[in-house]
Amino acid sequence: MKTADFSYHLPSELIAQSPVEPRDSARLLRASDLSDWTVRDLPMLLKPGDLIVVNETRVRAARLIGRRDPTGGRVELLLLGRDGDRWKALMKPSRRIRAASVIRIGSLVATVRTDPAEGMVELTLEAEAGGSAGRDVEEVIARVGQVPLPPYIHRNIDDPERYQTVFGRNVGSAAAPTAGLHLTDRTLDGLKERGIGLARVELQIGLDTFRPINVADVTDHVMHSEWIDVPGSTVRQIEEARTAGGRIVAIGTTVVRALETACAGGGMAPYRGSTRLYITPGYRFGAVDVLITNFHMPSSSLLVLVAAFLGEAWRDVYGTALARNYRFLSFGDAMLLERSAAPPLVR
């Protein structure tokens, strides 16, 4: 499969630079008949007994701007994730940074533990006033850091909460699960009244989400690793919904990857750990029946996933969205994709 086959021309003026208000007024293109709706209409587009699954991650205020000690030179860090007391981060400038360098960001002290490699370092973080306990550090990061926006968004947003979902609970991602940004408490209440359930998973999104496929053949692309948690309670909800004839509705591609990882053994089971699942055309979906997702970057792994879910019809869907001036990417509009049949989840 050639990467070029998953490309299309995206005019810059269709890349949304700010979210719509209210959230659920975002447009929603239903792929089955190419009809136009809004996210607010979601309760009537789904069926009683369906189960929506959301990614409850929150975006960390991972962009840190500090000064190198003792020179005072400006340094910018972008935290990518942590393993125990070690953090991985992108750093710029990194040319003169070496292991043991110290950077101060307000009351946060970063000590570099490895020499930079392509701008990447490992470091430890300590809150000067409160020790190095994980919670103290997270609280200081939230206070002194900034929420990083995708590189194709060229303006700041007034309210950082607009880059968080209304149901997000666990801080850990470098980017938002953007399909979930459209849902409001009003929409969730409407789904509940319609008899549509809600379940939660977590996938901590890394910046590689935005990385284009830079090899000629799609299958040669190396997928990044992300941490996921599919709890037993969600597995039970999914099995109960399927038994009753309901469909599993993933709010975003991150939910797809989490659920499909959890049923990779042939049956749905709780899963907590990392995933490198890379979904390409020909993949047999075992968990997800309906996908609600934004319009993705050309030649990205996210678009390849959509093509795997929808087949060649993805071209008509994207062509229609472009012709009708839908808004694209993180702050853009959404589409509703349905599969005609799904295998039962049987252990």
Side-chain angles (χ1 to χ4, degrees):
M1 290 178 285
K2 295 181 179 179
T3 302
D5 292 336
F6 298 91
S7 185
Y8 66 93
H9 174 62
L10 175 57
S12 60
E13 61 269 21
L14 293 186
I15 300 176
Q17 294 297 309
S18 59
V20 296
E21 292 292 348
R23 293 172 183 252
D24 57 7
S25 64
R27 298 169 71 189
L28 182 67
L29 179 62
R30 185 166 67 179
S32 61
D33 59 2
L34 299 178
S35 57
D36 299 308
W37 304 80
T38 67
V39 174
R40 191 178 306 163
D41 299 317
L42 196 55
M44 73 175 68
L45 294 173
L46 299 180
K47 303 173 183 178
D50 286 348
L51 177 72
I52 68 166
V53 185
V54 300
N55 183 0
E56 65 180 2
T57 191
R58 280 181 63 84
V59 184
R60 179 180 281 117
R63 183 169 179 256
L64 306 175
I65 298 175
R67 298 286 174 179
R68 185 179 176 188
D69 192 7
T71 64
R74 184 183 187 275
V75 178
E76 181 174 334
L77 296 171
L78 188 60
L79 301 177
L80 302 180
R82 65 184 301 177
D83 183 6
D85 66 345
R86 290 280 184 120
W87 295 77
K88 287 186 177 181
L90 286 172
M91 174 182 291
K92 63 178 184 181
S94 63
R95 185 168 56 90
R96 296 183 180 180
I97 299 292
R98 294 293 180 267
S101 296
V102 174
I103 300 155
R104 297 184 180 274
I105 311 103
S107 59
L108 196 65
V109 179
T111 304
V112 179
R113 300 301 181 184
T114 61
D115 290 342
E118 297 182 348
M120 185 89 69
V121 297
E122 288 190 11
L123 49 82
T124 54
L125 295 173
E126 184 175 359
E128 281 188 309
S132 59
R135 178 170 296 179
D136 293 336
V137 167
E138 287 284 12
E139 289 173 354
V140 177
I141 291 172
R143 188 167 64 250
V144 304
Q146 303 172 26
V147 171
L149 295 177
Y152 45 73
I153 294 177
H154 306 301
R155 66 178 69 163
N156 293 324
I157 53 175
D158 295 332
D159 180 8
E161 283 299 307
R162 283 302 276 111
Y163 196 55
Q164 305 280 8
T165 65
V166 299
F167 43 76
R169 295 195 291 201
N170 302 323
V171 173
S173 283
T178 53
L181 294 177
H182 302 304
L183 298 182
T184 63
D185 291 331
R186 172 177 59 184
T187 307
L188 294 173
D189 289 343
L191 290 165
K192 184 177 180 180
E193 292 171 3
R194 174 89 163 143
I196 297 164
L198 172 68
R200 297 170 181 260
V201 299
E202 183 178 1
L203 184 145
Q204 293 184 358
I205 304 168
L207 288 181
D208 275 348
T209 291
F210 303 107
R211 183 165 60 98
I213 298 173
N214 56 11
V215 291
D217 192 304
V218 164
T219 57
D220 291 333
H221 177 68
V222 178
M223 198 66 178
H224 56 284
S225 176
E226 293 170 313
W227 187 90
I228 64 174
D229 182 15
V230 180
S233 58
T234 293
V235 171
R236 289 191 294 273
Q237 285 179 273
I238 289 172
E239 291 175 335
E240 290 169 1
R242 276 288 181 82
T243 299
R247 300 175 300 171
I248 309 307
V249 182
I251 306 297
T253 57
T254 62
V255 173
V256 174
R257 293 184 62 235
L259 293 182
E260 294 296 326
T261 297
C263 73
M268 179 69 70
Y271 184 95
R272 184 181 175 90
S274 63
T275 181
R276 288 183 178 271
L277 180 62
Y278 179 31
I279 296 176
T280 61
Y283 177 86
R284 186 173 183 266
F285 289 86
V288 178
D289 308 313
V290 180
L291 170 59
I292 295 165
T293 185
N294 286 22
F295 296 92
H296 302 296
M297 189 75 78
S299 301
S300 65
S301 62
L302 304 180
L303 178 57
V304 170
L305 185 153
V306 168
F309 193 88
L310 199 57
E312 284 298 307
W314 78 266
R315 302 179 192 279
D316 292 333
V317 173
Y318 270 69
T320 299
L322 290 165
R324 295 179 187 173
N325 292 320
Y326 272 69
R327 303 165 79 242
F328 278 60
L329 307 185
S330 294
F331 284 145
D333 298 313
M335 52 185 164
L336 187 154
L337 317 178
E338 300 167 283
R339 292 198 304 127
S340 58
L345 288 171
V346 179
R347 289 188 185 173

